[in-house]
Amino acid sequence: MGDTFDYGYLTTPTGQLNIAEIVCLIGALISVGFTSRLYCELVDNLQSVYPDFSTLLVRNVYQTFTIFCLTVTIVILIVHLYGIRFTGRHYSHINQICLGFNILMALMMISIGICAAFWEDKLRRTPGILRRGYLENQYHYIYNEWTHPRPGAAIAASIFAILSGILFILEACSRPMLNTGARRIPTEYTIPVTSQRVVIKNNKGERIIPIERII
């Protein structure tokens, strides 16, 4: 791929969307990491609201989807920075693969984001969870362990996931606009060699500089 990085990719809408996606996916991982696993187990065992809906399963799938999408997005960004656009007509096939991944990841994140919204709704609507102090900002003893409920973490994860999915859709729409005929910008320049004029002396000792003629 050469020695020159394709920093111009970062100035394109697609490259900027890659950066925004990475930020949102990191925010999604942080949000789901703040959620309480023990409260998920408790609300699933109570089976008072959405009895067939497993919040613990949603939590695990959410983490898997987010890590997968984050890894793929970082790989796409890196290969573009290393000049994959400079491969000419072969890049159109690679671009189609990236577009397919964008659509797949958009569906994954939007679907799991909707599930995360139901996850938060189940926690807030279950009487047994509210009695256990879910909305209180303090630690509680559940299943022989201390845990913090961190209310709102699941809905924050839902927002980050849906926003990431929207960004993936926008990236898929922007990919056909990428310039497949991009060329590297040279980073080294050569200084043209200028010929020096030869000084000629006449028989009187005067210095004469010849005039250049263009033919």
Side-chain angles (χ1 to χ4, degrees):
M1 292 185 182
D3 299 327
T4 307
F5 290 105
D6 183 12
Y7 294 114
Y9 176 71
L10 296 177
T11 63
T12 64
T14 309
Q16 293 169 359
L17 285 169
N18 280 158
I19 300 297
E21 290 156 4
I22 291 172
V23 172
C24 284
L25 291 170
I26 292 175
L29 279 178
I30 294 174
S31 298
V32 76
F34 270 104
T35 60
S36 172
R37 176 183 56 83
L38 295 177
Y39 267 92
C40 289
E41 294 180 4
L42 178 62
V43 75
D44 289 339
N45 290 332
L46 292 175
Q47 294 185 347
S48 129
V49 179
Y50 310 136
D52 296 328
F53 183 82
S54 174
T55 60
L56 190 61
L57 178 62
V58 171
R59 186 176 188 268
N60 294 334
V61 173
Y62 188 105
Q63 291 174 322
T64 303
F65 279 11
T66 306
I67 292 173
F68 171 80
C69 293
L70 180 61
T71 303
V72 173
T73 305
I74 291 175
V75 170
I76 289 175
L77 178 62
I78 290 176
V79 297
H80 278 83
L81 289 178
Y82 269 90
I84 196 69
R85 290 193 301 162
F86 303 139
T87 56
R89 61 181 181 178
H90 301 291
Y91 174 68
S92 60
H93 303 293
I94 299 173
N95 202 30
Q96 290 295 323
I97 295 174
C98 294
L99 192 150
F101 270 115
N102 291 149
I103 296 174
L104 173 63
M105 293 187 293
L107 294 175
M108 291 171 62
M109 295 309 297
I110 291 176
S111 61
I112 200 63
I114 294 172
C115 291
F118 282 102
W119 167 13
E120 179 71 24
D121 187 55
K122 183 174 182 177
L123 287 170
R124 290 177 179 270
R125 292 178 58 187
T126 303
I129 295 296
L130 296 178
R131 287 195 298 269
R132 291 294 187 102
Y134 175 70
L135 299 178
E136 298 175 4
N137 187 25
Q138 59 184 3
Y139 283 86
H140 297 277
Y141 197 68
I142 299 176
Y143 293 136
N144 300 322
E145 291 184 42
W146 288 99
T147 184
H148 196 288
R150 294 193 173 90
I155 197 63
S158 173
I159 294 172
F160 276 117
I162 294 175
L163 182 57
S164 299
I166 294 173
L167 292 175
F168 283 129
I169 293 175
L170 293 176
E171 182 185 346
C173 295
S174 70
R175 283 211 160 268
M177 296 185 293
L178 277 179
N179 182 13
T180 57
R183 294 292 181 269
R184 296 187 185 277
I185 299 175
T187 56
E188 298 180 356
Y189 299 91
T190 56
I191 301 175
V193 179
T194 56
S195 59
Q196 297 181 351
R197 297 178 182 180
V198 180
V199 179
I200 304 174
K201 293 185 179 181
N202 59 6
N203 53 4
K204 295 182 180 181
E206 297 175 346
R207 300 176 63 186
I208 302 173
I209 300 176
I211 300 174
E212 295 181 350
R213 292 194 307 170
I214 300 175
I215 302 175

